[in-house]
Amino acid sequence: MTKSQYLTELEKRLGALGREERAELLADYEAHFEYGRAAGKTDEEIARRLGPPQLVAREILYQLSVDRARSEPTLRPSPARCSPASGSA
């Protein structure tokens, strides 16, 4: 898989993200290819080392959803659940 093919597939799989966030992530992966090429690696070797773009995108989306859930929890414990049980045995 060439750099272009890899990045095109990754971009397609990251379509749920905003334009800026997606562009930032794609720039990071483009840098992986540039560093790999500078080290004498082929696009195929670099792509193989990064892993399939479908899996990479799935992991990125999962991690971002976990990070967002941690920073913006929608379920908050009620005060009754946080206080000690009141006399029931």
Side-chain angles (χ1 to χ4, degrees), residues 1 4 11 15 21 28 33 35-36 44-45 47-50 52 55-57 63 74 76 80 82 87 89:
M1 178 175 279
S4 177
E11 182 176 21
E21 192 170 27
D28 289 344
F33 277 91
Y35 291 130
E44 289 286 332
E45 292 169 319
R48 203 169 25 254
R49 184 169 182 120
L50 290 173
L55 179 59
V56 170
Q63 190 58 53
T74 56
R76 301 200 189 277
C82 293

Side-chain angles (χ1 to χ4, degrees), residues 34-49:
E34 296 310 315
Y35 291 130
R37 286 174 172 178
K41 305 283 186 207
T42 66
D43 284 0
E44 289 286 332
E45 292 169 319
I46 299 163
R48 203 169 25 254
R49 184 169 182 120

